[in-house]
């Protein structure tokens, strides 16, 4: 379990992206490619207070809201990382990310 | 801020060194360029660490980190090194964020970083058919045809594990023989889903939204052909993470740090441990042992000076 806030269901997901302007969700497992991304997000939370950071369990059926998003079409590597602005996906990526790679996306879309 | 020991790298070697030096009441700081844990974090299961029958690399790394901190070891993650001054009695490390740290001794434990194939389009298709982790991404390839690249133990063992999902696994290897242990080669050769393309390498990844094919070169003849494929898993080992040390400490032709038996480098007061040093075998147990030696050597150096 990470120290991030968790998206537990599709309803939860809807509320999170509707009620917050800038949202980053890492949808994965507690595996080797996902853990470093969660760790980087935990560190970025204090640095980017205008953004809400969440995780979501990839294997929960409700994670279809991310797994089946058109922006995630072709993704074949964990984690699926999705960035929302005003409820709309502005960027999505598949597989491990460094903190610097995440920051470049946050700076581009949420500044 | 002056430390007794600064450890660069928070993998098993660095964390073990941190446990030893901080427990010896030496003021210790670990600097890690990412998250502490090193390659351990990228390891799904550790089954050969004495005393721990089976646990995830993440759990083992977390326990080591917690143990180091419990003795007063300071840890700074995402610390990107800008410059190093290793000569003289006080060593200086400058970070990209402007922080500067000084220390009486240094332990370099920067480990290794995954080797990439270097073929065109590899980065663009990472997570879209190109993967470096069978346990993470294997189940995306149920009933698909995939390639595993490499000829060491990881490549052959992971190729076998991927047959749980894939309908076929082709092992592509640059040499005409395998570096893996005999048991791993035997197991792969006996698996009916696995076939072999030897003396060959991938020169191009083809696809836009998703990997569709690869270009494979037969090295002795230079002949190239295109093969349709759903996924490629890359297991071609690690390179030492020592680029930033060029011109600072003595490295061998492979970029590994040259060390004495006590794990001192060619610079007085600078020690090294783990997968970044010159050696034959790379295992987590060896890294922790070397972290211990480097810590004891550094402690003796600090007390002597």
């Amino acid at each position: 379990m990470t120290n991030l806030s968790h998206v537990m269901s599709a309803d939860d997901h809807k509320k999170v992206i509707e009620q917050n302007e800038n949202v980053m969700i890492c949808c994965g497992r507690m595996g080797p490619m996902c853990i470093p991304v969660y760790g980087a997000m935990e560190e970025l939370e204090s640095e980017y207070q205008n953004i809400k950071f969440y995780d979501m369990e990839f294997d929960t059926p409700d994670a279809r809201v991310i797994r089946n998003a058109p922006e995630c079409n072709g993704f074949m590597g964990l984690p699926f990382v999705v960035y929302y602005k005003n409820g709309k996906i502005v960027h999505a990526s598949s597989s491990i990310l460094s903190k610097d790679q995440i920051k470049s996306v946050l700076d581009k879309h949420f500044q | 801020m002056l430390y007794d020991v600064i450890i660069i790298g928070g993998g098993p070697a660095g964390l073990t060194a941190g446990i030893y030096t901080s427990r010896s009441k030496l003021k210790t700081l670990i600097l890690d360029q990412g998250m502490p844990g090193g390659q351990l974090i990228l390891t799904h299961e550790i089954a050969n660490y004495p005393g721990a029958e089976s646990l995830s690399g993440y759990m083992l790394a977390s326990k080591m980190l917690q143990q180091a901190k419990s003795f007063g070891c300071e840890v700074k993650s995402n610390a990107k090194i800008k410059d190093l001054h290793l000569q003289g009695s006080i060593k200086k490390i400058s970070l990209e964020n402007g922080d500067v740290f000084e220390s009486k001794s240094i332990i370099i434990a920067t480990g290794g970083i995954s080797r990439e194939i270097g073929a065109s389009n590899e980065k663009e298709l990472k997570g879209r058919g190109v993967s470096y982790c069978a346990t993470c991404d294997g189940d995306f390839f149920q009933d698909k045809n995939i390639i595993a690249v490499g000829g060491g133990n990881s490549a052959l063992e992971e190729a076998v594990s991927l047959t749980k999902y894939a309908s076929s696994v082709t092992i592509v290897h640059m040499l005409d023989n395998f570096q893996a242990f005999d048991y791993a080669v035997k197991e792969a050769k006996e698996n009916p889903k696995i076939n072999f393309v030897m003396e060959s390498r991938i020169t191009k990844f083809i696809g836009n939204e998703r990997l569709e094919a690869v270009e494979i070169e037969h090295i002795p003849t230079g002949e190239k052909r295109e093969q349709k494929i759903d996924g490629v898993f890359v297991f071609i080992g690690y390179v030492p993470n020592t680029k930033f040390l060029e011109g600072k400490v003595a490295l061998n032709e492979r970029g590994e740090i040259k060390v004495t038996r006590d794990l001192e480098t060619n610079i007085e007061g600078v020690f090294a441990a783990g997968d970044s040093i010159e050696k034959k075998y790379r295992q987590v147990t060896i890294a922790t042992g070397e972290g211990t030696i480097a810590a004891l050597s550094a402690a003796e150096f600090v007390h002597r000076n």
Side-chain angles (χ1 to χ4, degrees), chain B residues 195-209:
Chain B
N195 53 77
F196 301 88
V197 175
M198 305 300 284
E199 296 185 274
S200 299
R201 66 182 171 200
I202 291 176
T203 46
K204 199 186 284 179
F205 290 95
I206 300 159
N208 292 315
E209 287 284 294

Side-chain angles (χ1 to χ4, degrees), chain B:
Chain B
M1 174 95 51
L2 179 64
Y3 288 87
D4 293 313
V5 186
I6 289 180
I7 299 162
I8 307 173
L15 290 170
T16 305
I19 289 167
Y20 269 78
T21 55
S22 53
R23 189 161 182 255
S24 302
K25 304 294 179 200
L26 294 174
K27 188 169 175 53
T28 303
L29 170 67
I30 295 176
L31 297 173
D32 193 280
Q33 63 174 1
M35 259 182 88
Q39 291 171 51
L40 266 184
I41 289 181
L42 302 178
T43 307
H44 192 257
E45 184 190 17
I46 307 274
N48 56 4
Y49 195 82
E53 279 181 21
S54 176
L55 76 174
S56 70
Y58 172 71
M59 280 311 297
L60 184 56
S62 298
K63 285 171 184 283
M64 288 183 186
L65 177 62
Q66 198 177 11
Q67 196 174 359
K69 284 181 172 175
S70 74
F71 293 123
C73 182
E74 295 174 40
V75 181
K76 189 170 177 58
S77 58
N78 289 293
K80 305 280 189 303
I81 292 176
K82 186 181 174 193
D83 201 12
L84 287 169
H85 290 282
L86 300 177
Q87 302 282 352
S89 57
I90 300 297
K91 327 290 185 189
K92 197 196 275 187
I93 298 177
S94 310
L95 303 187
E96 284 180 4
N97 70 359
D99 289 348
V100 178
F101 303 99
E102 293 183 326
S103 182
K104 297 172 189 169
S105 69
I106 300 281
I107 296 173
I108 301 165
T110 46
I113 43 180
S114 295
R115 198 191 296 267
E116 294 181 350
I117 290 176
S120 66
N121 227 9
E122 182 175 1
K123 283 188 170 56
E124 290 78 1
L125 290 170
K126 179 178 161 190
R128 293 174 176 268
V130 179
S131 174
Y132 303 84
C133 179
T135 52
C136 305
D137 303 335
D139 60 353
F140 288 103
F141 297 89
Q142 190 74 47
D143 302 324
K144 306 273 187 193
N145 298 307
I146 61 174
I147 284 174
V149 183
N153 286 321
S154 296
L156 272 66
E157 288 173 3
E158 299 290 20
V160 170
S161 79
L162 284 165
T163 59
K164 281 187 294 190
Y165 312 104
S167 51
S168 78
V169 179
T170 302
I171 294 176
V172 175
H173 184 39
M174 292 180 78
L175 305 177
D176 63 357
N177 60 82
F178 292 106
Q179 306 97 301
F181 291 134
D182 288 345
Y183 77 85
V185 177
K186 185 170 181 282
E187 199 179 349
K189 285 189 171 171
E190 286 176 353
N191 191 308
K193 285 185 172 181
I194 294 180
N195 53 77
F196 301 88
V197 175
M198 305 300 284
E199 296 185 274
S200 299
R201 66 182 171 200
I202 291 176
T203 46
K204 199 186 284 179
F205 290 95
I206 300 159
N208 292 315
E209 287 284 294
R210 182 179 289 192
L211 178 70
E212 291 163 10
V214 290
E215 182 185 77
I216 298 177
E217 180 188 16
H218 182 241
I219 297 166
T221 60
E223 191 180 313
K224 291 181 179 173
R225 66 183 171 87
E226 206 172 292
Q227 181 175 332
K228 284 195 170 181
I229 204 77
D230 299 306
V232 172
F233 284 77
V234 182
F235 309 108
I236 51 175
Y238 294 85
V239 288
N241 185 15
T242 56
K243 193 88 182 150
F244 72 108
L245 294 169
E246 285 174 2
K248 306 278 185 187
V249 298
L251 306 174
N252 69 13
E253 69 283 0
R254 293 186 297 277
E256 298 160 343
I257 303 166
K258 292 183 174 181
V259 287
T260 65
R261 208 172 83 165
D262 294 332
L263 300 188
E264 189 166 26
T265 68
N266 64 316
I267 309 294
E268 194 177 38
V270 179
F271 304 85
D275 283 3
S276 56
I277 71 169
E278 189 171 50
K279 61 179 173 181
K280 185 174 179 184
Y281 298 115
R282 286 173 164 75
Q283 294 287 307
V284 62
T285 48
I286 295 172
T288 56
E290 289 165 351
T292 307
I293 296 169
L296 295 173
S297 298
E300 188 187 329
F301 175 83
V302 169
H303 289 133
R304 200 172 62 229
N305 295 278

Side-chain angles (χ1 to χ4, degrees), chain A residues 4-7 16 20 23-26 41 52-55:
Chain A
L4 298 165
S5 302
H6 314 301
V7 175
V16 161
N20 298 287
V23 177
M24 174 182 179
I25 303 176
C26 179
M41 290 170 71
K52 299 291 181 189
F53 295 86
Y54 289 88
D55 64 25

Side-chain angles (χ1 to χ4, degrees), chain A residues 2-4 24-45 53-55 77-83 93-103 106, chain B residues 34-35 41-42 58 78 126:
Chain A
T2 76
N3 293 319
L4 298 165
M24 174 182 179
I25 303 176
C26 179
C27 185
R29 299 174 179 140
M30 286 307 281
M33 294 286 140
C34 305
I35 288 166
V37 181
Y38 298 137
M41 290 170 71
E42 285 171 9
E43 293 198 358
L44 289 166
E45 274 193 312
F53 295 86
Y54 289 88
D55 64 25
L78 289 178
F80 289 13
V81 182
V82 187
Y83 306 79
S93 72
S94 174
S95 193
I96 192 170
L97 294 167
S98 69
K99 187 177 174 185
D100 286 345
Q101 286 172 317
I102 297 170
K103 283 179 76 161
L106 301 181
Chain B
M35 259 182 88
I41 289 181
L42 302 178
Y58 172 71
N78 289 293
K126 179 178 161 190

